[in-house]
Amino acid sequence: MNLRSLLGAKAYFIKMVLWISMAILILVVVLSTVVYINSQNLLVKNEYASNQKILYQVKYNMEFMDQTISNLSKFLYLNSDVTAIMYAKSEDMVAVSGHMTKLVSSVTSANPYIHSIGIYNRNLDQSYSLGFPLFFKDQMLYDFINSNQALPKLKPIFRDIKKLVNGVTESEYVFSYFIYETTSNEMKPDGVVVINVKPQWLIENINQINMIDKRKGDNVFILDQNGEYLDDGTNDPAIKDWLKADFLSYKKEHPQADRDGFFQSKHNGTQYLVTYTNVNSAGMTLLKTQPVLEIYKYINSLKTSIILITLIFLVMAVVMSVGISRKIYQPVGKLVNSIMLDRIRRSDKDEVVDEISYLNTVYRQSMEMLDHFDKEKVQYKDVMKHYWLSRLLTESLSIGRSELESIFKEMRISLSLNGSYAICLLKIDNYKEFQHTFHAKDKDTIRFALINIASEIMGRKYANEGLDMKDDHVVLIVSIPDDDDQFPSHIVPLIQEAQENVSRFFKVSFTASISDQTNQMTGLHSLYNKALDQAMYRLVLGHASVITYETVKKNMESKKTGYPKNLEDLLLETMKSSDITAMEGVLANIFEEVATLNYHNALVSIIRLVDAVIEKLEAMKVTVVPSLHLSSISRNMLEKETIVDIHSIILAALQDSFKKDYEGNANKLNYFLVDAVTEYIHNHFHDPSLSLTSIASIMKISTRNLSKIYKEATHISIPDFINEYRLARAAELLIQDNLSVYEITEKVGILNETYFFSMFKKKYKVTPKEYALRRNMTNLNPK
């Protein structure tokens, strides 16, 4: 389905109608459900209250029965006929029969719920019964008398007294009330009266009050103090077991529950409402069960009403949704139609789901185009800005003020057209080592950071623009206000702060060369060249120095062409005597003199000094160490950036030349030769023919001596170092460049791919691909 058909059908309009309708319907359904659930809960609570009233009535009748029987028990205990039987010293059956007849006529006939009466005479150890055979033996009574335990007085005990019918013992359940007295010094009673009550009277009373319909599942149960049921005529032991177990479990799980309450439980798939109450005086519990469905049938009409109301609201929701959606959709539809008419070119990206998605697609495409244009504009301006700043430094431009203002404004150059200007040239120290240490991307990053850090710190006081000259230095063009006459003293601490920050974060130092000032933009070219010349005096002042014209004025204006000839003669004399200490002192004096010369004379003086030293050593038949060979001078000595380094090289070369055990001394080895070998490996590691033999041939030294010197100085052989360096560069290429393993092995000078895999896994404990994957995952999830 294409977009036109979707828009013709108003897909988003239909969605709006559905969303609003569903929102209203969900709200109505939720409210209806809440009303229905609350109605159910309210009905259950009302039913519980009704059941509780019934149980309270039963409870009242039981308490009344208990009180009545307790009073009757007390009456009988004091009755003269009972006492005559209970305390008789001898057995007179005629008298016993007479007393029993009186009791039958006066008690049992007036109280039909009386089942039987038992009298125990301790003197005769004989029990008599009214309502049973005269000499009925009550086993519970005899068990009590023959034990040290006490029966509860005037408390109903539900029990089976067993009766004999036609020679067969049958169960006979009664409530028994015991009344007796004991003397203070013994536990056994003098006599006991037992009144047994028929339980059917209580059950019938309960059923009459409750008016239960057992066909609907209503039942009332009584549990005695021992947790045993009183027979109510319900011959369903399963429901009794379930009710007893669930009631005891509920009481255990809710120890803080009231003595009267209710809970719901399920039996054989039917949910029951169970109401309970306790009869404290009788020590019994009343339980009433009622199917929940019998309760809920009263709210079926309410359910029907709720469903009807929900349907009505659904119809109303659809009607309202259509009206509301039309109002909301109207401006959206107009906007979509307008965009479609104005949009000349359409692509596959326009095929979307609905109008809002279409607008989102158009907006996203428009923003992508704007972002692309902005990036092109910024890149263009950056390139043009760099172009104009470079021309100001490298050419003597003659541009009018109005044109310069236009260029500065368009390129957003922050330099002021008023006041004066100065050049601050930042030259990276140990540039040769810098090139070998860092990858190309890292070097660009450090250059960029150096410009930003220095420019930001300088910007606290002076407007400036930074420029990367793509060599060993970057440049800041500094704009100086007319009223600032302390520029040199102000800028030096700012440069030093920048040096500290760059050194701390990137472990790189730089030397700063600060030019004089000019009032014309056209003078920047001259200042830049002068700053370059001043930077050469790092040779004298050392790394991380801040060079101004004042600091090197004496050197630049020096008329001396070299060090005194007498110092050179003195050095040659000390060499003749092989006095190392004396040579050190004279050499130090010579370099003190060299430090006062201008840059070019200083370099010429150093070459003159080395030439004189070599000539003297050859005349003395002393083997000249490789670091003093002419090839080493151009490759190592003259590439050193400070005279301190050059001084150290010449001094160490003299010490090694005059040391008798030169080749065997591990502490005084010619590290310049080692440095040259290391540098050569750094520059030619990609050459497959690179080896100990090829390096020894180039260095004009035997393979054996070169191997021994290098290993004693570095504790690693040249072949091992070549392999180590190649593997290190391969590891860099694996994570920085999108190259295959085969391409990487060629770039690091290893032709055998299997050999490369073996060496790489031995060093890094993983294959090249696993190494690249792990490093990239680490970079994506930094700790």
Side-chain angles (χ1 to χ4, degrees):
M1 184 180 293
N2 56 35
L3 177 63
R4 188 176 298 278
S5 62
L6 283 173
L7 291 177
K10 296 183 178 180
Y12 189 69
F13 174 76
I14 295 173
K15 286 183 178 181
M16 290 175 62
V17 172
L18 293 175
W19 291 340
I20 297 174
S21 301
M22 289 299 297
I24 297 175
L25 178 61
I26 290 172
L27 180 62
V28 171
V29 170
V30 169
L31 291 176
S32 301
T33 304
V34 170
V35 170
Y36 182 75
I37 292 174
N38 287 338
S39 300
Q40 283 184 330
N41 293 335
L42 183 61
L43 187 60
V44 169
K45 289 182 180 179
N46 289 338
E47 191 66 25
Y48 160 70
S50 176
N51 292 339
Q52 200 68 24
K53 289 179 181 179
I54 294 172
L55 294 182
Y56 282 161
Q57 183 62 44
V58 175
K59 177 179 178 181
Y60 172 77
N61 289 345
M62 290 183 67
E63 290 177 344
F64 176 76
M65 180 201 73
D66 178 69
Q67 186 64 39
T68 301
I69 297 175
S70 295
N71 293 335
L72 177 61
S73 299
K74 294 176 183 177
F75 167 75
L76 288 176
Y77 189 75
L78 300 175
N79 184 274
S80 58
D81 294 312
V82 172
T83 55
I85 297 173
M86 187 168 52
Y87 296 113
K89 299 294 185 181
S90 60
E91 188 175 58
D92 185 352
M93 293 305 301
V94 175
V96 170
S97 177
H99 292 308
M100 286 291 188
T101 302
K102 290 180 181 180
L103 289 174
V104 169
S105 60
S106 62
V107 179
T108 58
S109 61
N111 299 283
Y113 50 83
I114 298 296
H115 174 276
S116 59
I117 299 174
I119 302 172
Y120 173 73
N121 186 319
R122 182 183 176 186
N123 295 325
L124 303 175
D125 192 24
Q126 181 64 49
S127 61
Y128 305 93
S129 177
L130 180 65
F132 265 116
L134 180 63
F135 296 104
F136 174 75
K137 185 175 182 180
D138 192 334
Q139 189 61 43
M140 178 181 285
L141 177 62
Y142 278 90
D143 291 342
F144 153 63
I145 293 172
N146 295 324
S147 68
N148 293 324
Q149 296 180 353
L151 281 174
K153 292 182 181 180
L154 298 179
K155 292 291 183 181
I157 299 175
F158 187 70
R159 61 184 183 128
D160 184 4
I161 59 177
K162 307 289 185 182
K163 68 177 181 178
L164 188 64
V165 178
N166 298 324
V168 179
T169 301
E170 297 182 355
S171 296
E172 184 79 13
Y173 292 97
V174 295
F175 288 110
S176 297
Y177 284 76
F178 292 84
I179 182 169
Y180 58 90
E181 289 183 356
T182 59
T183 58
S184 58
N185 56 354
E186 59 179 294
M187 294 296 294
K188 295 186 181 294
D190 296 329
V192 181
V193 176
V194 183
I195 300 176
N196 299 314
V197 181
K198 300 175 183 178
Q200 288 77 10
W201 172 81
L202 178 61
I203 301 301
E204 290 173 0
N205 181 277
I206 291 173
N207 291 335
Q208 288 176 2
I209 294 174
N210 191 28
M211 295 179 293
I212 61 174
D213 187 353
K214 292 193 176 184
R215 291 175 299 176
K216 296 181 180 180
D218 291 0
N219 283 294
V220 174
F221 300 92
I222 303 175
L223 289 175
D224 66 5
Q225 60 270 30
N226 297 320
E228 298 296 333
Y229 280 103
L230 275 63
D231 188 12
D232 67 339
T234 300
N235 297 319
D236 188 356
I239 195 170
K240 289 184 178 182
D241 294 340
W242 157 74
L243 180 61
K244 180 178 178 181
D246 275 26
F247 174 69
L248 295 177
S249 176
Y250 175 79
K251 295 295 286 184
K252 184 177 180 180
E253 293 174 0
H254 302 80
Q256 304 299 324
D258 295 335
R259 297 178 64 82
D260 302 333
F262 72 97
F263 63 92
Q264 291 191 30
S265 184
K266 184 177 287 188
H267 174 62
N268 289 338
T270 302
Q271 192 78 11
Y272 286 91
L273 174 67
V274 180
T275 308
Y276 64 89
T277 188
N278 289 288
V279 184
N280 296 329
S281 60
M284 298 184 185
T285 301
L286 300 177
L287 298 168
K288 183 177 185 298
T289 61
Q290 186 177 12
V292 174
L293 291 178
E294 289 296 320
I295 303 171
Y296 288 165
K297 70 180 182 180
Y298 299 109
I299 63 171
N300 286 335
S301 58
L302 177 62
K303 184 192 298 184
T304 303
S305 299
I306 291 174
I307 293 174
L308 181 61
I309 292 172
T310 303
L311 293 175
I312 294 172
F313 266 93
L314 177 59
V315 176
M316 294 176 61
V318 173
V319 175
M320 292 173 61
S321 300
V322 172
I324 295 172
S325 299
R326 281 182 176 176
K327 290 292 184 182
I328 297 175
Y329 181 78
Q330 188 174 5
V332 177
K334 289 181 179 180
L335 178 61
V336 171
N337 291 331
S338 176
I339 291 176
M340 289 182 65
L341 293 174
D342 294 339
R343 191 166 167 81
I344 299 173
R345 180 180 59 84
R346 302 178 64 195
S347 64
D348 294 339
K349 295 182 179 179
D350 291 347
E351 296 183 3
V352 290
V353 177
D354 54 34
E355 299 91 318
I356 298 301
S357 299
Y358 172 73
L359 293 175
N360 180 62
T361 301
V362 174
Y363 171 78
R364 179 169 45 79
Q365 292 176 5
S366 302
M367 291 306 297
E368 287 176 357
M369 294 179 65
L370 287 174
D371 185 56
H372 177 70
F373 292 148
D374 286 342
K375 287 181 179 178
E376 285 187 345
K377 187 176 179 181
V378 170
Q379 290 175 356
Y380 167 78
K381 286 189 175 181
D382 286 343
V383 170
M384 293 305 297
K385 181 177 181 180
H386 191 280
Y387 167 75
W388 281 109
L389 291 175
S390 297
R391 291 193 65 187
L392 288 173
L393 293 179
T394 57
E395 301 178 26
S396 297
L397 291 179
S398 220
I399 304 176
R401 182 180 178 88
S402 60
E403 184 180 356
L404 205 56
E405 285 182 355
S406 176
I407 293 172
F408 275 32
K409 183 177 181 181
E410 184 179 357
M411 300 298 110
R412 297 182 181 178
I413 296 175
S414 60
L415 300 176
S416 173
L417 292 175
N418 300 316
S420 57
Y421 311 95
I423 297 297
C424 182
L425 187 146
L426 311 180
K427 197 175 183 72
I428 299 173
D429 295 331
N430 293 316
Y431 187 66
K432 186 177 178 182
E433 181 181 345
F434 173 80
Q435 286 183 306
H436 289 308
T437 302
F438 297 100
H439 190 268
K441 293 180 181 178
D442 294 334
K443 287 187 283 190
D444 289 340
T445 301
I446 293 173
R447 288 173 180 276
F448 179 76
L450 195 155
I451 294 174
N452 279 356
I453 292 173
S455 179
E456 183 177 348
I457 295 175
M458 192 84 68
R460 299 175 190 167
K461 194 166 183 65
Y462 301 105
N464 63 87
E465 288 289 349
L467 189 63
D468 188 353
M469 302 307 291
K470 299 301 180 184
D471 199 354
D472 63 348
H473 65 278
V474 298
V475 172
L476 295 181
I477 304 175
V478 184
S479 180
I480 307 169
D482 288 330
D483 57 353
D484 190 344
D485 56 354
Q486 300 293 326
F487 172 71
S489 60
H490 289 161
I491 196 173
V492 170
L494 297 176
I495 292 294
Q496 290 173 341
E497 182 180 349
Q499 287 175 327
E500 291 176 2
N501 282 280
V502 172
S503 176
R504 182 167 68 252
F505 293 116
F506 298 100
K507 309 303 180 188
V508 172
S509 67
F510 66 87
T511 298
S513 175
I514 303 170
S515 72
D516 290 333
Q517 301 176 35
T518 181
N519 295 323
Q520 301 295 327
M521 282 286 178
T522 54
L524 290 177
H525 170 62
S526 176
L527 291 183
Y528 173 58
N529 289 328
K530 289 180 180 179
L532 283 172
D533 292 340
Q534 284 181 184
M536 296 297 184
Y537 285 91
R538 178 177 60 181
L539 179 73
V540 176
L541 299 179
H543 291 146
S545 57
V546 180
I547 305 173
T548 64
Y549 177 75
E550 293 298 326
T551 58
V552 296
K553 180 179 179 180
K554 290 182 179 180
N555 292 78
M556 296 179 71
E557 296 178 355
S558 175
K559 302 299 183 181
K560 295 190 296 183
T561 59
Y563 55 85
K565 183 68 170 61
N566 64 315
L567 288 177
E568 181 179 314
D569 295 339
L570 183 57
L571 177 63
L572 298 178
E573 286 296 324
T574 56
M575 290 175 61
K576 188 176 180 180
S577 63
S578 301
D579 187 348
I580 300 296
T581 304
M583 277 189 283
E584 290 178 2
V586 175
L587 198 60
N589 292 333
I590 291 175
F591 274 95
E592 285 180 5
E593 291 294 329
V594 171
T596 64
L597 304 176
N598 65 39
Y599 177 75
H600 300 289
N601 288 334
L603 288 181
V604 171
S605 296
I606 291 170
I607 294 174
R608 166 190 159 190
L609 175 64
V610 173
D611 187 58
V613 169
I614 293 174
E615 184 179 346
K616 183 63 176 178
L617 289 172
E618 290 177 347
M620 295 173 61
K621 307 298 183 180
V622 175
T623 302
V624 180
V625 296
S627 58
L628 284 179
H629 291 170
L630 292 177
S631 59
S632 296
I633 293 173
S634 61
R635 185 172 58 251
N636 290 318
M637 194 176 300
L638 296 183
E639 287 182 357
K640 296 301 179 182
E641 296 175 349
T642 66
I643 60 173
V644 173
D645 294 334
I646 297 173
H647 180 193
S648 299
I649 291 174
I650 296 174
L651 179 59
L654 287 173
Q655 291 173 339
D656 288 342
S657 296
F658 285 99
K659 195 73 175 177
K660 292 181 180 180
D661 56 345
Y662 164 71
E663 290 187 356
N665 189 348
N667 296 322
K668 292 290 184 176
L669 284 175
N670 191 341
Y671 82 93
F672 310 105
L673 176 61
V674 173
D675 183 57
V677 172
T678 302
E679 181 184 357
Y680 187 83
I681 293 172
H682 286 172
N683 293 332
H684 298 83
F685 69 92
H686 49 77
D687 183 359
S689 65
L690 180 66
S691 64
L692 171 62
T693 303
S694 65
I695 296 173
S697 176
I698 292 171
M699 297 296 177
K700 307 300 182 183
I701 188 172
S702 69
T703 303
R704 179 177 176 276
N705 287 341
L706 178 60
S707 177
K708 183 177 181 182
I709 291 170
Y710 195 88
K711 189 164 186 179
E712 287 180 346
T714 62
H715 304 290
I716 186 173
S717 67
I718 290 177
D720 287 344
F721 179 74
I722 292 173
N723 289 335
E724 288 286 327
Y725 189 73
R726 282 172 169 171
L727 290 175
R729 294 305 301 267
E732 290 181 10
L733 293 173
L734 280 169
I735 62 175
Q736 294 174 352
D737 295 319
N738 188 19
L739 299 174
S740 67
V741 175
Y742 177 74
E743 291 173 324
I744 290 174
T745 57
E746 285 191 334
K747 282 184 173 292
V748 298
I750 300 176
L751 299 180
N752 190 324
E753 191 173 350
T754 304
Y755 179 60
F756 169 75
F757 268 87
S758 176
M759 287 196 302
F760 193 94
K761 191 166 185 180
K762 183 177 181 182
K763 177 175 176 61
Y764 294 105
K765 309 303 181 185
V766 291
T767 65
K769 289 185 178 180
E770 290 174 343
Y771 177 85
L773 181 61
R774 290 185 182 180
R775 290 296 300 272
N776 289 331
M777 290 298 293
T778 303
N779 293 335
L780 289 174
N781 300 282
K783 293 183 178 178

